[in-house]
Amino acid sequence: MPRYFFHVRHGTGSDGLALDPEGDELAGPEAARAHALMVARDLITRVRLHAVRDWFACSFEVTDEDGRPVMTVPFSDTVTEEDGK
């Protein structure tokens, strides 16, 4: 199973990137996106950090085992149109 790394981007520049040194083994890109959204929801609801005032300004930069970009998943994607109804 491929390993994906979920680096958290907040703001711009290299100072705004928290690297994921371990990653997670997942079935493929769709599973990686679902995992990113699950973790983002958890961070938004459970983690209170003074350094992050707006979680919706964050995103996951997902890379593969070779460090190649796979996708970017904005934390704002955790909110769907159905949530607003």
Side-chain angles (χ1 to χ4, degrees):
M1 229 185 293
R3 182 171 293 276
Y4 295 92
F5 296 84
F6 298 84
H7 312 298
V8 178
R9 166 76 62 194
H10 182 261
T12 59
S14 60
D15 290 344
L17 186 65
L19 297 178
D20 171 8
E22 296 177 15
D24 291 286
E25 288 185 354
L26 299 160
E30 290 179 19
R33 179 171 170 73
H35 180 76
L37 291 171
M38 179 191 68
V39 173
R41 282 185 194 98
D42 188 56
L43 287 170
I44 291 167
T45 59
R46 296 177 193 236
V47 177
R48 302 288 181 231
L49 294 177
H50 296 290
V52 179
R53 294 178 186 207
D54 181 8
W55 283 108
F56 291 132
C58 297
S59 61
F60 277 116
E61 293 182 4
V62 183
T63 60
D64 65 13
E65 293 173 283
D66 296 321
R68 292 183 299 241
V70 175
M71 71 185 76
T72 299
V73 181
F75 280 35
S76 59
D77 282 3
T78 61
V79 179
T80 63
E81 287 184 30
E82 291 176 8
D83 293 337
K85 290 182 180 179

